[in-house]
Amino acid sequence: MAGTIQTMILTPRSTQTPSFRHQHLNFTATRTTAYSTRSVFFTRSRSISFPLRIRANQGPGQIDDNGSGGAKTLGKSLLNFADNNFLPLALIGGVVLGLANPALGCLADKYYLSKFSTIAIFITSGLTLRNGEIGDAIEAWPVGILGICSILLFTPYLSKIILQIQLQPQEFVTGLAIFCCMPTTLSSGVALTQLAGGNSALALAMTVISNLLGILIVPFSISKFIAAGIGVSVPTKELFRSLVITLLIPLILGKVFRESLKGLADYVDRNRKLFSKMNAIFLSLAPFIQVSRSRSMLLMVKPSVFLVAVGMGVILHLVLLSFNVFAIQGFSMVSGTNQLAFAKKKNATAYVLVASQKTLPVMVAVVEQLGGAFGESGLLVLPCVAAHLNQIIMDSFFVNFWLRKDLASESAKVA
């Protein structure tokens, strides 16, 4: 505001205030000639001895209020804070709204709004997908293979460690163990990678492939790590069809729109920040709907027990992040000819964000098909809802921290 508003200070020439006696004599002396110099006396007697601030864009009668400048500065600071932290604020807002008005979230769930939001995220991802980014994803194929292996083969082993924990109800522990066997998130990993400036095409590839392969691998993982060899029935065909409809087809449609509609690619590239915020809003619908659905059951659980389950979810995500950070660093040092792919910051960002998250919708679909084999379905899902929200909110703050750090380093280079 200081750079756009100019201030002029008008002060009278005389800065000395005459004494009361002098004022009285002066008034008496001028009184005799008041009738002859009435207009002159009127003008001079109206002189004001304090500075008058007038904005450059104001009329002469508009005086600047000292409080308005502070209010505008505060408002601008709040807007900047909201702009820099849009994703975590949107997610937290979804959680708060779900707790405050669960009926609205249940209504949104009734009309499959969460599925439509996922479709919208992947259409947007296709719209923003440049041809050069596809080439970057192909070049980073070793990182993609590592990510898929981490998601579907390595991290499910954590479920055996989680099952050693004793907690009542035991469904909380079992639910988190099942959560470990899931593929990556359907949308948040991609959205966060785009916000962080990572290799979004690589993130898309890992997301789509891990979820499609996960339909085949998840039943075996649950049987091996959780059910101790007992066969479980998972709706493979239904899940596969659902993922193709909500992930693959919208992504292809978005890319087709980008390439076929004249001028659309340029418009999207000029407004990438706007599309990122749109993705953040779509992403915030997931916690809003999940919290709305689980609110009644959440109130039935002891707060201390639920906080322990939430803490377990936080620790699980930190372990996944740490594992994947060490994995990408290790492969960048020993991978030989593929070292460049692992060492690229964009590839590493996409790998860490996508491979460290687990999806909730697929987990819910699997639990619903288990028919209570591992306990009450609602109690199995409840801690995973918290873990799902925790990983998105935590990663959004990490992304904001990385962006601020990159901005600071760029500013230091320019200076």
Side-chain angles (χ1 to χ4, degrees), residues 359-377:
T359 182
L360 181 65
V362 176
M363 187 267 180
V364 173
V366 171
V367 168
E368 288 176 353
Q369 297 299 320
L370 293 176
F374 296 128
E376 176 62 36
S377 299

Side-chain angles (χ1 to χ4, degrees), residues 150-300:
S150 173
I151 294 166
L152 297 177
L153 300 179
F154 301 154
T155 55
Y157 278 91
L158 293 173
S159 60
K160 295 188 72 70
I161 300 175
I162 292 176
L163 288 173
Q164 305 304 315
I165 300 173
Q166 298 298 320
L167 185 68
Q168 293 298 329
Q170 188 63 25
E171 284 90 341
F172 279 5
V173 177
T174 307
L176 286 174
I178 296 174
F179 192 61
C180 286
C181 299
M182 294 298 111
T184 187
T185 50
L186 300 178
S187 54
S188 59
V190 175
L192 287 167
T193 301
Q194 291 175 339
L195 288 173
N199 191 335
S200 57
L202 176 62
L204 284 167
M206 286 191 292
T207 298
V208 174
I209 295 173
S210 68
N211 276 275
L212 294 177
L213 291 178
I215 297 171
L216 304 175
I217 297 175
V218 164
F220 298 101
S221 298
I222 294 176
S223 177
K224 179 180 179 180
F225 298 113
I226 300 171
I230 300 175
V232 293
S233 176
V234 177
T236 304
K237 291 183 179 179
E238 289 79 2
L239 279 176
F240 188 84
R241 187 184 305 113
S242 175
L243 290 173
V244 168
I245 293 173
T246 57
L247 274 70
L248 192 59
I249 293 178
L251 178 63
I252 295 174
L253 282 176
K255 182 60 178 173
V256 170
F257 290 154
R258 176 184 174 90
E259 299 299 330
S260 58
L261 297 179
K262 185 178 180 180
L264 181 59
D266 293 336
Y267 175 79
V268 172
D269 291 340
R270 289 195 308 267
N271 298 275
R272 293 183 78 87
K273 192 171 184 180
L274 172 63
F275 281 88
S276 295
K277 289 183 178 180
M278 289 171 54
N279 267 357
I281 294 173
F282 293 140
L283 187 60
S284 67
L285 292 176
F288 167 56
I289 292 173
Q290 293 297 335
V291 169
S292 298
R293 290 179 57 185
S294 308
R295 181 178 180 273
S296 58
M297 189 169 293
L298 177 61
L299 297 177
M300 296 171 57

Side-chain angles (χ1 to χ4, degrees), residues 56-73:
N57 58 350
Q58 287 180 334
Q62 293 178 314
I63 301 175
D64 184 24
D65 184 8
N66 292 333
S68 65
K72 289 181 179 180
T73 303

Side-chain angles (χ1 to χ4, degrees), residues 46-101:
R46 293 294 184 185
S47 299
I48 302 173
S49 60
F50 59 84
L52 179 65
R53 292 184 176 89
I54 301 177
R55 293 179 184 263
N57 58 350
Q58 287 180 334
Q62 293 178 314
I63 301 175
D64 184 24
D65 184 8
N66 292 333
S68 65
K72 289 181 179 180
T73 303
L74 178 62
K76 188 175 181 180
S77 299
L78 291 175
L79 288 175
N80 288 335
F81 177 80
D83 184 64
N84 295 330
N85 301 275
F86 190 82
L87 179 58
L89 290 177
L91 294 172
I92 294 172
V95 174
V96 173
L97 184 59
L99 291 172
N101 192 356

